[in-house]
Amino acid sequence: MIAALLSGELSSEPTERTASNGNRFWTASARVAAGGEAIFVGITTFDAKAGARLMTLHKGSSLAAVGTLEATTWTDKTGAERKGWRLLAHEVLTVHQARKRRDAGDGGARDA
């Protein structure tokens, strides 16, 4: 796993879900520039503040997210093996919130 900060735009509407144990979590997918290409990263957070911020966004919104990035592998409907990326986020910011923190010199606060 890799500690990561990514920025991109949402490629899906955020979704709030409930696990079988009753815990809430939030998911979305983001399109992230990677050199001359783009990759899609699945984003999941169990943090209520990060989830609330994620739910204020919509498909196409810009965001920044911090967390643990890991490569994933799955088998699609046709039986082909696919590869991708997943970020377990502990912080989600809109571009406006990230800029506001940077300008205030408060890059480490978690309650913006």
Side-chain angles (χ1 to χ4, degrees):
M1 291 186 272
I2 303 165
L5 163 66
L6 65 82
S7 64
E9 64 182 41
L10 288 180
S11 58
S12 68
E13 289 292 326
T15 304
E16 182 178 342
R17 300 171 187 249
T18 303
S20 59
N21 65 2
N23 290 341
R24 293 185 317 160
F25 66 100
W26 298 264
T27 63
S29 179
R31 181 180 185 273
V32 178
E37 300 180 18
I39 60 172
F40 291 88
V41 178
I43 298 172
T44 301
T45 186
F46 293 93
D47 182 273
K49 285 184 181 181
R53 288 188 194 115
L54 188 59
M55 293 304 293
T56 66
L57 302 174
H58 298 283
K59 183 177 179 179
S61 297
S62 295
L63 82 154
V66 177
T68 304
L69 184 68
E70 65 180 343
T72 60
T73 308
W74 72 95
T75 304
D76 70 13
K77 294 177 186 177
T78 66
E81 187 174 285
R82 306 283 307 254
K83 297 180 185 236
W85 295 96
R86 176 177 46 220
L87 182 78
L88 179 55
H90 57 81
E91 183 71 270
V92 173
L93 296 171
T94 66
V95 171
H96 171 74
Q97 290 167 320
R99 195 171 291 134
K100 185 175 169 182
R101 281 191 183 178
R102 184 191 65 223
D103 292 347
D106 188 19
R110 292 187 53 132
D111 61 351

